[in-house]
Amino acid sequence: MNVLVCISNVPDTTSKINFKDENKSFDSSGVQFIINPNDEFGLTRAIWLQQKAGATVTVVTVGDASCEPILRKCLAIGADQAIRIDAPPTDGFFVANQLAALCKKENYDLIIAGRESIDYNGAMVGGMLASFLALPYLANCVQFEMEGSTATLQREIDGGKEILSASLPLVLGAQKGLVEESDLIIPNMRGIMQARQKPLTVEMAVEVEAATTIQHFEKPQKKGPVRLVDAADVDTLIELLQNEAKVL
Amino acid sequence: MSVVVYVESQNGIIKKAGLEVASYGRAIANAIQTNLIAVTFNTDDASVLNTHGVDKVYNIDTEGDIFFNVNRYSVSLAAIIENETANIIVVSATANGRYLGPILAAGIKAAYVSNVVALPSSYDPITVKRSCFTNKAFNECVSNQSRTVISLSSNAFGLKEQTTDAEHAEADYLNSNSTLKVTATDSITDKVTIADADIVVSGGRGLKGPENWHLIEDLASVLGAATACSKPVSDMGWRPHSEHVGQTGKPVATNLYIAIGVSGAIQHLAGISSSKVKVVINNDPEAPFFKAADYGIVGDAFEVVPKLIEKLKAIKQ
Ligand SMILES: Cc1cc2nc3c(=O)[nH]c(=O)nc-3n(C[C@H](O)[C@H](O)[C@H](O)COP(=O)(O)OP(=O)(O)OC[C@H]3O[C@@H](n4cnc5c(N)ncnc54)[C@H](O)[C@@H]3O)c2cc1C
Ligand SMILES: Nc1ncnc2c1ncn2[C@@H]1O[C@H](COP(=O)(O)O)[C@@H](O)[C@H]1O
């Protein structure tokens, strides 16, 4: 079984977000990058398939050489091989096309993307990729179990869960629930040493135009100070919410 | 040329998010002087769309396919979009809308722009403001395609009424060859969901344990609010995962967000910051949430919250 996990290289969740070039690009100076949290849940689920069902796990990212430490981390966590598609990830459509080109060359039984990246927040690459490959896609996937070539799945919906089935190959949008926080694998020394020997190949990007262009970024407006109400005086809070904020 | 909106309904009733995309679609249709077409599935009574500016409604009967079927919905919508020569399509930011959007966009060769928070600033080319970096920033995004699918953030535009006399049209529920089949849903039906709620009451580790959650639930119940929690609270199993909000959980974009015993870590705030009014109750005046909140009480949740519930109950009666 061949499993592909799509990895997005994103700023650490604690990062302060700043822009440069007249707000036209993200300022990565001083920013620590991590594996997109949703992708890490997906990677962990893939490693289970490797451990229990002998699956081969490949990780892929679309990005420049600065993404390689993240791919090495995935290898240290346990992925068998890594691929970097050498192009700036201009938009979700562009990334999905690059990933689709790779998937058409290789035969993956299962492709795992994250529900959403925490930088672009497109929540689009997985669904588009599946459509380009004419495969089923399951967004917000919180459970994946396999029996032969049939998968039993769960999707988180507003106010509950949906239970589904599909046959492989298939694309998942992983999120917390697929595995738990406590299941995440922290690379040990042996993993880190082994990761240095594992293959990390760089592939050329295919020719494709992005569907969207970012004109510029901006930061939210600074908000005023909090209005404090005395703990003994909840009436005042209710009054403010009713008459000033008009939300009750 | 026209604007098509996907209007979501649940158990035959149009959701608020569905009326919001209709309102938003109407504003676009007015700006570019074209028709607004709504597509909905299995809606009992679509007449409410007459008050939200819709010119034409396709209410598709899914013939007993009772669950949301992303592929069949997508191809059925695509056929209507072709017929109506729509170049702007709007979906809501509900779980289903966000699932459908990219699949539909790929199917009709459109650009897809999610998390949109305002009307387009330009129509030629379509340029919209969207949130990114989990609400820590926005970006102005230009569509390079002749068609654009927009996913509108919840509560970003609100409901606007405009009376129209909507024409009702028929369309087929088309087939797809996807192997994906929904077999059942497992829903907490009698509770307000975070996605639908106008008010969300959220509890953090400051509540000390699951046995104290009646404080959150009682306050939510008197306000008609949904309940939520911080990540450690769901990690420890005090509350279900579906209540975890923040950067790695659910986004919250309500009118009122009340955080009790939540410190206000950057990852928590990122996910809830597009809520309009934020209230914090925390016994530590240095808790970072006070910097992000509009109103706050420095105090013990175990004293303040029962008083708040009691007073609100008295008002609501
Ligand atoms: C990669 C990553 C992603 C993350 N994503 C998220 C996310 O999506 N959502 C999220 O919430 N967190 C997230 N976190 C965790 C985040 O960093 C914080 O650890 C978490 O939000 C803290 O939860 P808390 O406020 O409930 O607990 P604490 O930080 O322990 O705060 C408890 C608060 O309760 C107050 N308190 C204590 N007793 C009382 C009382 N009697 N009355 C009133 N107040 C009281 C305390 O003063 C304190 O401020 C993430 C972390 C990482 C590393
Ligand atoms: N540059 C990239 N390279 C590889 N996979 C990506 C990239 N960007 C996004 N993805 C995948 O697509 C998912 C959804 O991303 P997005 O559509 O940007 O929210 C992520 O969780 C990743 O799995």
Side-chain angles (χ1 to χ4, degrees):
Chain A
M1 183 183 191
N2 278 322
V3 183
L4 180 72
V5 187
C6 308
I7 302 290
S8 179
N9 183 53
V10 298
D12 180 82
T13 54
T14 53
S15 307
K16 294 261 189 306
I17 304 299
N18 290 304
F19 302 103
K20 57 178 189 184
D21 308 328
E22 297 175 325
N23 288 330
K24 290 213 181 326
S25 57
F26 175 65
D27 184 359
S28 61
S29 56
V31 172
Q32 183 83 30
F33 282 84
I34 58 167
I35 304 171
N36 183 40
N38 291 313
D39 306 353
E40 197 173 346
F41 293 121
L43 176 61
T44 307
R45 188 68 190 82
I47 299 295
W48 290 2
L49 289 168
Q50 178 199 54
Q51 290 167 348
K52 287 176 198 141
T56 303
V57 177
T58 306
V59 289
V60 60
T61 196
V62 180
D64 64 20
S66 70
C67 298
E68 290 190 1
I70 287 307
L71 289 177
R72 287 280 172 216
K73 181 160 183 212
C74 294
L75 294 172
I77 287 172
D80 299 294
Q81 53 191 9
I83 299 169
R84 178 170 70 80
I85 300 176
D86 190 23
T90 19
D91 80 338
F93 175 84
F94 176 87
V95 169
N97 269 291
Q98 299 303 331
L99 296 171
L102 172 72
C103 293
K104 281 177 187 161
K105 278 194 298 181
E106 309 289 331
N107 273 324
Y108 297 111
D109 304 287
L110 181 66
I111 301 164
I112 308 180
R115 166 189 85 178
E116 178 176 6
S117 61
I118 63 165
D119 54 355
Y120 189 72
N121 301 116
M124 65 193 289
V125 169
M128 285 196 159
L129 170 61
S131 297
F132 294 154
L133 299 171
L135 293 179
Y137 175 62
L138 191 76
N140 296 49
C141 178
V142 291
Q143 199 186 14
F144 170 86
E145 294 304 332
M146 209 177 56
E147 210 172 296
S149 64
T150 308
T152 311
L153 305 151
Q154 286 187 14
R155 173 171 76 105
E156 188 174 281
I157 55 177
D158 297 333
K161 276 180 194 154
E162 206 174 62
I163 296 124
L164 310 94
S165 70
S167 55
L168 269 46
L170 144 90
V171 184
L172 304 181
Q175 65 168 60
K176 179 170 140 183
L178 187 57
V179 304
E180 298 309 324
E181 192 84 21
S182 52
D183 297 323
L184 297 178
I185 302 161
I186 298 158
N188 56 22
M189 215 44 213
R190 193 161 151 264
I192 295 166
M193 299 299 280
Q194 280 174 342
R196 294 191 190 147
Q197 312 301 324
K198 290 179 182 172
L200 190 166
T201 46
V202 179
E203 299 219 358
M204 286 232 313
V206 292
E207 197 75 30
V208 52
E209 293 285 319
T212 57
T213 311
I214 294 176
Q215 213 172 48
H216 61 86
F217 292 94
E218 66 187 71
K219 295 219 263 182
Q221 279 175 343
K222 286 253 180 305
K223 64 170 290 300
V226 60
R227 175 106 182 237
L228 287 180
V229 175
D230 195 89
D233 189 14
V234 295
D235 285 334
T236 302
L237 178 67
I238 295 171
E239 200 271 323
L240 286 168
L241 292 177
Q242 278 180 321
N243 301 324
E244 189 180 89
K246 299 195 173 26
V247 286
L248 282 189
Chain B
M1 220 173 64
S2 62
V3 179
V4 164
V5 291
Y6 161 66
V7 172
E8 190 166 320
S9 60
Q10 190 175 22
N11 302 323
I13 302 187
I14 290 179
K15 284 187 156 190
K16 189 179 130 202
L19 296 178
E20 188 173 15
V21 290
S23 306
Y24 180 83
R26 180 71 253 164
I28 293 179
N30 287 347
I32 57 174
Q33 301 192 345
T34 183
N35 284 336
L36 175 63
I37 294 146
V39 182
T40 178
F41 295 81
N42 293 331
T43 296
D44 295 336
D45 180 7
S47 64
V48 55
L49 293 173
N50 282 330
T51 52
H52 292 81
V54 173
D55 297 308
K56 189 172 183 181
V57 181
Y58 289 91
N59 184 2
I60 299 176
D61 180 357
T62 65
E63 300 141 16
D65 192 0
I66 52 169
F67 302 116
F68 176 78
N69 185 322
V70 72
N71 298 99
R72 293 188 72 181
Y73 278 39
S74 173
V75 290
S76 303
L77 269 155
I80 294 172
I81 290 161
E82 288 295 343
N83 268 335
E84 299 284 355
T85 60
N87 57 347
I88 301 179
I89 298 94
V90 189
V91 301
S92 49
T94 54
N96 292 348
R98 281 165 64 95
Y99 186 12
L100 177 70
I103 292 174
L104 176 65
I108 60 170
K109 300 196 167 48
Y112 177 64
V113 191
S114 58
N115 296 346
V116 171
V117 295
L119 282 172
S121 57
S122 152
Y123 287 93
D124 187 24
I126 305 245
T127 308
V128 280
K129 184 172 175 175
R130 65 184 296 278
S131 70
C132 56
F133 293 100
T134 324
N135 295 317
K136 289 180 194 167
F138 297 99
N139 71 266
E140 202 74 12
C141 182
V142 183
S143 166
N144 305 331
Q145 308 291 92
S146 57
R147 275 187 183 147
T148 307
V149 176
I150 290 173
S151 166
L152 178 67
S153 282
S154 301
N155 267 327
F157 189 73
L159 303 184
K160 308 255 165 18
E161 298 207 351
Q162 178 172 333
T163 306
T164 42
D165 184 13
E167 172 196 341
H168 287 260
E170 298 282 318
D172 290 333
Y173 184 47
L174 299 181
N175 250 313
S176 95
N177 51 13
S178 170
T179 62
L180 193 65
K181 295 266 174 312
V182 186
T183 50
T185 56
D186 174 3
S187 301
I188 327 147
T189 40
D190 56 340
K191 278 188 68 181
V192 192
T193 65
I194 293 170
D196 288 335
D198 287 325
I199 303 176
V200 170
V201 180
S202 181
R205 200 145 58 179
L207 283 158
K208 314 278 189 270
E211 66 281 5
N212 298 322
W213 237 261
H214 60 92
L215 289 174
I216 301 294
E217 291 189 318
D218 291 351
L219 182 57
S221 138
V222 55
L223 292 169
T227 53
C229 68
S230 66
K231 177 167 169 288
V233 165
S234 79
D235 285 345
M236 291 183 295
W238 295 1
R239 299 296 294 175
H241 283 320
S242 54
E243 288 197 0
H244 158 202
V245 298
Q247 187 159 21
T248 52
K250 280 207 171 67
V252 182
T254 51
N255 285 333
L256 174 59
Y257 183 77
I258 305 179
I260 301 166
V262 179
S263 58
I266 188 164
Q267 299 97 342
H268 187 90
L269 296 177
I272 61 98
S273 67
S274 50
S275 294
K276 302 237 158 66
V277 176
K278 290 161 230 107
V279 175
V280 54
I281 299 170
N282 193 307
N283 63 3
D284 174 8
E286 300 299 324
F289 214 120
F290 285 105
K291 290 211 170 64
D294 301 285
Y295 300 97
I297 289 184
V298 179
D300 185 347
F302 297 95
E303 287 167 22
V304 176
V305 180
K307 267 194 276 176
L308 202 52
I309 295 168
E310 190 189 317
K311 297 277 184 186
L312 284 166
K313 270 192 183 147
I315 294 172
K316 300 269 163 170
Q317 263 159 17

